[in-house]
Amino acid sequence: MHVTLAEELVLLSLDDRTGAQKEGVGTAWAAAGGLLAELVLAGRVEVTDGRLGVVDRTPTGDPLLDGRLERLDEWIAGKRQGRAKAAEWLTKDRATVVRDTELRLCERGLVTEERHRVLGIFPVRHYPEADGSVERALRERLTAVVLDGAEPELRTAALIALLHSAKLHRLAFPDLPRKQVQPRFAEIAAGDWAGETVGEAIRNMQATMAAVIAATTAATTVAATV
């Protein structure tokens, strides 16, 4: 079964038993970057100097990607020429990307949706594992590359770069200290494993995430001192 980078990231982020989301903020950024990277890999989108352009509107056949392609095309059309910044799109897309990806995983039968109410009032949704075969294969790939030193193919390298950029090392290796796996993640993320536009898509995600987190931290610090 072919799954997108965003689906792989969300699978890693969901607790298999409870279906609760782990590392939600980082996962949202990485998944948004993953879908953008997928569209670049599919030859539908280009990222040049931090700006986005749709170069092919032909559907990919994947509902998750095609929905994003349509939304992105409409969003770019509403911008002034040259104003379609990747950072703006990633910031916008992170608000819904995890939810959309979870629904797609449900459609595929990889997770199931369970609805609860916190304190009997606030509705929440959890997505426990239904079919663990895809995630097991994914973790085997990551183990082979990160721990055993295997050479990553392009998609695995892209996934590792996304995980590293969003500091999600523990999603991939929850039982290992971060310092044990981070050097290999960094090595792969810095490698010449993909075309420039894919690398730029991921770098834009990383830079945007870092800028937003820094701004949020600064605002929180100011508020605390007032």
Side-chain angles (χ1 to χ4, degrees), residues 12 22-23 139 163 167-179 181 185:
L12 291 173
K22 300 174 287 185
E23 304 283 356
R139 290 189 181 277
L163 288 165
K167 297 179 171 56
L168 297 174
H169 311 82
R170 287 187 60 82
L171 291 186
F173 298 99
D175 300 324
L176 296 177
R178 177 175 168 177
K179 64 182 180 180
V181 298
F185 271 79

mmCIF file of all heavy atoms in Angstrom, residues 12 22-23 139 163 167-179 181 185:
data_model
loop_
_atom_site.group_PDB
_atom_site.id
_atom_site.type_symbol
_atom_site.label_atom_id
_atom_site.label_comp_id
_atom_site.label_asym_id
_atom_site.label_seq_id
_atom_site.Cartn_x
_atom_site.Cartn_y
_atom_site.Cartn_z
ATOM 1 N N LEU A 12 3.012 7.499 12.775
ATOM 2 C CA LEU A 12 4.026 7.466 13.819
ATOM 3 C C LEU A 12 3.586 8.251 15.055
ATOM 4 O O LEU A 12 3.981 7.938 16.181
ATOM 5 C CB LEU A 12 5.341 8.037 13.303
ATOM 6 C CG LEU A 12 6.086 7.222 12.246
ATOM 7 C CD1 LEU A 12 7.291 8.008 11.719
ATOM 8 C CD2 LEU A 12 6.544 5.879 12.790
ATOM 9 N N LYS A 22 0.350 12.265 19.649
ATOM 10 C CA LYS A 22 1.572 12.655 20.351
ATOM 11 C C LYS A 22 2.302 13.696 19.502
ATOM 12 O O LYS A 22 2.323 13.603 18.287
ATOM 13 C CB LYS A 22 2.480 11.431 20.564
ATOM 14 C CG LYS A 22 1.843 10.317 21.390
ATOM 15 C CD LYS A 22 2.731 9.084 21.433
ATOM 16 C CE LYS A 22 2.738 8.344 20.111
ATOM 17 N NZ LYS A 22 3.499 7.070 20.170
ATOM 18 N N GLU A 23 2.892 14.661 20.171
ATOM 19 C CA GLU A 23 3.681 15.682 19.463
ATOM 20 C C GLU A 23 2.852 16.365 18.371
ATOM 21 O O GLU A 23 3.268 16.490 17.211
ATOM 22 C CB GLU A 23 4.940 15.060 18.838
ATOM 23 C CG GLU A 23 5.840 14.336 19.812
ATOM 24 C CD GLU A 23 6.678 15.278 20.652
ATOM 25 O OE1 GLU A 23 6.612 16.497 20.428
ATOM 26 O OE2 GLU A 23 7.389 14.789 21.538
ATOM 27 N N ARG A 139 8.493 1.404 10.331
ATOM 28 C CA ARG A 139 9.486 1.405 11.405
ATOM 29 C C ARG A 139 10.680 0.506 11.061
ATOM 30 O O ARG A 139 11.824 0.803 11.443
ATOM 31 C CB ARG A 139 8.830 0.988 12.715
ATOM 32 C CG ARG A 139 7.861 2.039 13.256
ATOM 33 C CD ARG A 139 7.374 1.723 14.654
ATOM 34 N NE ARG A 139 6.438 2.729 15.122
ATOM 35 C CZ ARG A 139 6.763 3.900 15.667
ATOM 36 N NH1 ARG A 139 8.059 4.204 15.819
ATOM 37 N NH2 ARG A 139 5.863 4.763 16.067
ATOM 38 N N LEU A 163 11.141 14.532 9.904
ATOM 39 C CA LEU A 163 11.169 14.207 11.331
ATOM 40 C C LEU A 163 12.258 15.008 12.047
ATOM 41 O O LEU A 163 12.038 15.547 13.139
ATOM 42 C CB LEU A 163 11.413 12.710 11.520
ATOM 43 C CG LEU A 163 10.248 11.775 11.170
ATOM 44 C CD1 LEU A 163 10.740 10.339 11.052
ATOM 45 C CD2 LEU A 163 9.145 11.865 12.222
ATOM 46 N N LYS A 167 11.957 18.018 14.883
ATOM 47 C CA LYS A 167 12.430 17.465 16.162
ATOM 48 C C LYS A 167 11.509 16.352 16.677
ATOM 49 O O LYS A 167 11.146 16.302 17.862
ATOM 50 C CB LYS A 167 12.587 18.580 17.199
ATOM 51 C CG LYS A 167 13.639 19.618 16.815
ATOM 52 C CD LYS A 167 13.735 20.714 17.855
ATOM 53 C CE LYS A 167 14.934 21.639 17.584
ATOM 54 N NZ LYS A 167 14.906 22.232 16.232
ATOM 55 N N LEU A 168 11.150 15.463 15.778
ATOM 56 C CA LEU A 168 10.238 14.362 16.108
ATOM 57 C C LEU A 168 10.966 13.019 16.169
ATOM 58 O O LEU A 168 10.395 11.981 15.847
ATOM 59 C CB LEU A 168 9.112 14.295 15.064
ATOM 60 C CG LEU A 168 8.195 15.522 15.009
ATOM 61 C CD1 LEU A 168 7.219 15.393 13.839
ATOM 62 C CD2 LEU A 168 7.447 15.719 16.314
ATOM 63 N N HIS A 169 12.209 13.044 16.585
ATOM 64 C CA HIS A 169 13.009 11.816 16.635
ATOM 65 C C HIS A 169 12.357 10.730 17.490
ATOM 66 O O HIS A 169 12.410 9.544 17.165
ATOM 67 C CB HIS A 169 14.409 12.133 17.172
ATOM 68 C CG HIS A 169 15.080 13.282 16.511
ATOM 69 N ND1 HIS A 169 14.829 14.591 16.867
ATOM 70 C CD2 HIS A 169 15.985 13.334 15.495
ATOM 71 C CE1 HIS A 169 15.548 15.394 16.112
ATOM 72 N NE2 HIS A 169 16.267 14.668 15.276
ATOM 73 N N ARG A 170 11.717 11.132 18.583
ATOM 74 C CA ARG A 170 11.129 10.158 19.500
ATOM 75 C C ARG A 170 9.903 9.466 18.915
ATOM 76 O O ARG A 170 9.541 8.382 19.373
ATOM 77 C CB ARG A 170 10.778 10.816 20.829
ATOM 78 C CG ARG A 170 12.003 11.130 21.685
ATOM 79 C CD ARG A 170 11.603 11.634 23.059
ATOM 80 N NE ARG A 170 10.811 10.646 23.790
ATOM 81 C CZ ARG A 170 11.340 9.632 24.461
ATOM 82 N NH1 ARG A 170 12.659 9.461 24.492
ATOM 83 N NH2 ARG A 170 10.564 8.800 25.117
ATOM 84 N N LEU A 171 9.265 10.077 17.923
ATOM 85 C CA LEU A 171 8.156 9.375 17.271
ATOM 86 C C LEU A 171 8.660 8.144 16.540
ATOM 87 O O LEU A 171 7.991 7.114 16.503
ATOM 88 C CB LEU A 171 7.433 10.303 16.290
ATOM 89 C CG LEU A 171 6.629 11.461 16.869
ATOM 90 C CD1 LEU A 171 5.870 12.167 15.765
ATOM 91 C CD2 LEU A 171 5.665 10.998 17.962
ATOM 92 N N ALA A 172 9.833 8.256 15.967
ATOM 93 C CA ALA A 172 10.397 7.138 15.222
ATOM 94 C C ALA A 172 11.035 6.114 16.148
ATOM 95 O O ALA A 172 10.933 4.901 15.913
ATOM 96 C CB ALA A 172 11.429 7.653 14.216
ATOM 97 N N PHE A 173 11.684 6.599 17.216
ATOM 98 C CA PHE A 173 12.405 5.703 18.133
ATOM 99 C C PHE A 173 12.075 6.079 19.579
ATOM 100 O O PHE A 173 12.894 6.682 20.274
ATOM 101 C CB PHE A 173 13.914 5.778 17.869
ATOM 102 C CG PHE A 173 14.308 5.327 16.498
ATOM 103 C CD1 PHE A 173 14.548 6.256 15.488
ATOM 104 C CD2 PHE A 173 14.408 3.972 16.198
ATOM 105 C CE1 PHE A 173 14.892 5.841 14.210
ATOM 106 C CE2 PHE A 173 14.749 3.550 14.922
ATOM 107 C CZ PHE A 173 14.994 4.475 13.921
ATOM 108 N N PRO A 174 10.881 5.754 20.028
ATOM 109 C CA PRO A 174 10.444 6.180 21.366
ATOM 110 C C PRO A 174 11.244 5.573 22.507
ATOM 111 O O PRO A 174 11.248 6.126 23.614
ATOM 112 C CB PRO A 174 8.972 5.728 21.416
ATOM 113 C CG PRO A 174 8.880 4.628 20.412
ATOM 114 C CD PRO A 174 9.833 5.002 19.318
ATOM 115 N N ASP A 175 11.911 4.456 22.267
ATOM 116 C CA ASP A 175 12.632 3.768 23.343
ATOM 117 C C ASP A 175 14.122 4.085 23.370
ATOM 118 O O ASP A 175 14.857 3.506 24.179
ATOM 119 C CB ASP A 175 12.441 2.248 23.215
ATOM 120 C CG ASP A 175 10.977 1.844 23.310
ATOM 121 O OD1 ASP A 175 10.245 2.485 24.093
ATOM 122 O OD2 ASP A 175 10.567 0.906 22.602
ATOM 123 N N LEU A 176 14.564 4.979 22.507
ATOM 124 C CA LEU A 176 15.986 5.318 22.449
ATOM 125 C C LEU A 176 16.188 6.783 22.792
ATOM 126 O O LEU A 176 15.354 7.629 22.444
ATOM 127 C CB LEU A 176 16.541 5.044 21.047
ATOM 128 C CG LEU A 176 16.543 3.588 20.579
ATOM 129 C CD1 LEU A 176 17.059 3.511 19.148
ATOM 130 C CD2 LEU A 176 17.376 2.705 21.499
ATOM 131 N N PRO A 177 17.296 7.113 23.452
ATOM 132 C CA PRO A 177 17.573 8.528 23.722
ATOM 133 C C PRO A 177 17.819 9.278 22.415
ATOM 134 O O PRO A 177 18.414 8.747 21.481
ATOM 135 C CB PRO A 177 18.837 8.485 24.590
ATOM 136 C CG PRO A 177 19.454 7.157 24.320
ATOM 137 C CD PRO A 177 18.335 6.217 24.007
ATOM 138 N N ARG A 178 17.357 10.504 22.396
ATOM 139 C CA ARG A 178 17.466 11.303 21.177
ATOM 140 C C ARG A 178 18.917 11.429 20.711
ATOM 141 O O ARG A 178 19.196 11.394 19.510
ATOM 142 C CB ARG A 178 16.863 12.684 21.440
ATOM 143 C CG ARG A 178 16.961 13.642 20.277
ATOM 144 C CD ARG A 178 16.227 14.929 20.596
ATOM 145 N NE ARG A 178 16.524 15.961 19.647
ATOM 146 C CZ ARG A 178 15.989 17.168 19.654
ATOM 147 N NH1 ARG A 178 15.104 17.474 20.590
ATOM 148 N NH2 ARG A 178 16.320 18.062 18.758
ATOM 149 N N LYS A 179 19.857 11.582 21.666
ATOM 150 C CA LYS A 179 21.253 11.776 21.292
ATOM 151 C C LYS A 179 21.830 10.565 20.555
ATOM 152 O O LYS A 179 22.822 10.697 19.839
ATOM 153 C CB LYS A 179 22.092 12.080 22.524
ATOM 154 C CG LYS A 179 22.156 10.958 23.545
ATOM 155 C CD LYS A 179 22.976 11.368 24.756
ATOM 156 C CE LYS A 179 23.060 10.250 25.786
ATOM 157 N NZ LYS A 179 23.857 10.665 26.966
ATOM 158 N N VAL A 181 20.186 8.804 18.192
ATOM 159 C CA VAL A 181 19.720 8.747 16.809
ATOM 160 C C VAL A 181 19.861 10.074 16.068
ATOM 161 O O VAL A 181 19.901 10.104 14.832
ATOM 162 C CB VAL A 181 18.245 8.277 16.744
ATOM 163 C CG1 VAL A 181 18.108 6.876 17.317
ATOM 164 C CG2 VAL A 181 17.314 9.243 17.473
ATOM 165 N N PHE A 185 20.096 11.118 11.882
ATOM 166 C CA PHE A 185 19.028 11.924 11.289
ATOM 167 C C PHE A 185 19.624 13.159 10.615
ATOM 168 O O PHE A 185 19.265 13.494 9.478
ATOM 169 C CB PHE A 185 18.043 12.363 12.372
ATOM 170 C CG PHE A 185 16.914 11.414 12.636
ATOM 171 C CD1 PHE A 185 17.115 10.278 13.404
ATOM 172 C CD2 PHE A 185 15.652 11.652 12.132
ATOM 173 C CE1 PHE A 185 16.080 9.404 13.671
ATOM 174 C CE2 PHE A 185 14.600 10.788 12.392
ATOM 175 C CZ PHE A 185 14.808 9.654 13.157
#
